[in-house]
Amino acid sequence: MMIYVKYLKGVIVMGLRSDSKRKKKKKPLLKGLIIFLSIILLAGAGYTYYVYNSVKETANKMHEKSEWSGSKKRENKLDLSANPLSILVLGVDEREGDRGRSDTLMVVTVNPNDNSTYMMSIPRDTRTEIIGRGSQDKINHAYAFGGTNMTIQTVENFLDIPIDYYMKVNMESFKQIVDALGGVRVNNQRLAFNYQGYSFPKGTLNLTGDEALAYSRMRKADPRGDFGRNERQRQVVNGIINEGAQVSSITKLGSILDVLGDNIATNMSFDDMKDIQSNYKDARKSVQSIEINGQGGNIGGVYYFNVNEEERTRISSMLKKHLEL
């Protein structure tokens, strides 16, 4: 029997399998596969008891008790052996003594039947009803008002789809993850710019953690605003995926686990993670980005991103179809 450890879209999974054909070696083989997926995807692998336990401890540390026990929009309980699922990734900018706001909202739907993944960023200034408040406001304010649960309910209402799982990521850890991987590579095809003391020319860029955070946060100087920022965030995520796939050093894996355990919280249990890795892993091979169309404008002197009903219905129908609802 052989212990295996894998990560899928920020999910840490492991198990046992037989491998009668594997040749005996003096030292166990170490590999890496990392995917961190709505806002960060990481992976890594090892075949030692030490690595197995280290990853399991990190997974348990990431898991938090939550009032969110599953979406009421599902008629039947989610079956992780066959049903498409959805994940809300929250990039949270938390401050001491302040809950903070969700700086990034990304919805990820994964369909194991056609092996595809949809990734959609919701602009943080999107005007919608904040569930539990009975008022219209920016969607990222839901986290400040009511934390994770109010944010999930608000996103569910806006898109009219179930949210099965969430991953809450401290945005400051973004740079720590990149540095733990040894940097990331992105292809800046659209816009050369300077931000926070860093210069980002067009072309292939090798970014440190601080640079990656600045690259993914710039918004006001981009003609596309939030859309441009969200595009760069997805580029960095893809860079993390590519670098993570090369992780084979036990030292590097340990650093990554430390960052994950300290900066990510999720309602996924360890068993959920194992089932998702086993049944959904091929969906990472086909990732499609989706953008919401809308128009910015001031209401009562406050800037909002306004999505009309026709566009909201279009996006909702697309995601429902992917979730086979």
Side-chain angles (χ1 to χ4, degrees):
M1 297 295 290
M2 179 170 65
I3 297 175
Y4 69 89
V5 182
K6 291 186 178 181
Y7 293 70
L8 176 65
K9 295 185 175 169
V11 176
I12 308 169
V13 294
M14 56 290 290
L16 297 172
R17 69 183 178 200
S18 62
D19 192 356
S20 59
K21 296 183 180 180
R22 187 168 62 96
K23 295 180 179 179
K24 292 183 178 180
K25 295 184 179 181
K26 293 182 179 179
K27 294 183 179 180
L29 177 66
L30 295 177
K31 297 182 183 179
L33 174 63
I34 229 172
I35 300 178
F36 171 66
L37 170 14
S38 349
I39 143 222
I40 298 175
L41 306 172
L42 285 178
Y47 296 105
T48 67
Y49 184 73
Y50 168 76
V51 173
Y52 179 94
N53 280 330
S54 296
V55 174
K56 184 175 182 179
E57 288 177 7
T58 300
N60 290 335
K61 189 175 182 180
M62 288 166 57
H63 182 258
E64 68 174 4
K65 293 182 179 180
S66 171
E67 296 176 6
W68 190 254
S69 57
S71 176
K72 295 180 180 179
K73 288 186 175 291
R74 282 198 180 273
E75 296 181 2
N76 301 309
K77 184 178 179 180
L78 177 66
D79 180 358
L80 289 179
S81 67
N83 294 157
L85 60 82
S86 62
I87 304 170
L88 177 64
V89 180
L90 296 167
V92 178
D93 184 14
E94 293 183 317
R95 307 168 183 85
E96 186 176 352
D98 182 8
R99 177 180 281 157
R101 295 179 181 177
S102 51
D103 190 58
T104 299
L105 286 167
M106 184 180 295
V107 175
V108 181
T109 58
V110 188
N111 189 317
N113 301 316
D114 65 5
N115 290 327
S116 64
T117 298
Y118 286 1
M119 297 177 63
M120 186 197 69
S121 299
I122 304 176
R124 63 180 185 176
D125 294 328
T126 300
R127 190 171 189 265
T128 189
E129 179 184 356
I130 306 298
I131 302 302
R133 296 278 294 185
S135 60
Q136 298 274 324
D137 208 328
K138 296 183 179 183
I139 197 166
N140 74 320
H141 287 187
Y143 188 82
F145 293 141
T148 302
N149 286 347
M150 185 174 286
T151 302
I152 295 174
Q153 292 178 61
T154 298
V155 171
E156 279 200 337
N157 182 69
F158 177 65
L159 296 175
D160 193 27
I161 63 167
I163 296 296
D164 300 306
Y165 297 105
Y166 70 85
M167 294 188 67
K168 184 171 63 175
V169 184
N170 179 355
M171 287 301 291
E172 285 301 315
S173 72
F174 205 65
K175 60 184 180 182
Q176 296 175 32
I177 293 171
V178 172
D179 284 335
L181 287 168
V184 297
R185 178 177 296 180
V186 299
N187 188 4
N188 183 23
Q189 296 181 328
R190 188 174 56 84
L191 179 70
F193 64 94
N194 297 317
Y195 187 65
Q196 293 184 342
Y198 300 107
S199 178
F200 302 103
K202 288 184 179 181
T204 300
L205 307 175
N206 295 304
L207 306 178
T208 64
D210 285 327
E211 290 170 339
L213 186 62
Y215 182 77
S216 63
R217 273 186 164 173
M218 194 280 286
R219 178 172 65 110
K220 293 184 178 180
D222 192 323
R224 299 189 73 225
D226 261 348
F227 288 107
R229 184 183 67 161
N230 292 337
E231 176 188 3
R232 285 188 294 278
Q233 287 176 349
R234 290 192 292 268
Q235 288 176 7
V236 174
V237 166
N238 285 332
I240 290 174
I241 293 172
N242 293 332
E243 292 299 327
Q246 309 301 318
V247 172
S248 59
S249 166
I250 191 69
T251 303
K252 186 177 289 188
L253 180 61
S255 298
I256 294 169
L257 293 180
D258 288 341
V259 175
L260 286 175
D262 292 338
N263 294 285
I264 295 178
T266 179
N267 64 328
M268 291 181 190
S269 68
F270 183 62
D271 288 337
D272 291 336
M273 295 178 183
K274 290 190 292 184
D275 288 339
I276 291 172
Q277 189 280 330
S278 177
N279 301 319
Y280 296 76
K281 59 184 177 182
D282 289 336
R284 68 181 177 83
K285 298 176 183 178
S286 175
V287 180
Q288 178 179 338
S289 294
I290 299 173
E291 287 192 352
I292 299 178
N293 297 315
Q295 187 173 2
N298 290 320
I299 299 178
V302 179
Y303 175 85
Y304 294 98
F305 181 76
N306 299 292
V307 179
N308 62 39
E309 185 61 21
E310 182 179 359
E311 174 65 4
R312 192 201 62 79
T313 300
R314 181 185 74 85
I315 295 293
S316 176
S317 298
M318 185 183 303
L319 296 178
K320 284 180 179 178
K321 183 177 180 180
H322 195 235
L323 290 170
E324 299 182 2
L325 298 175

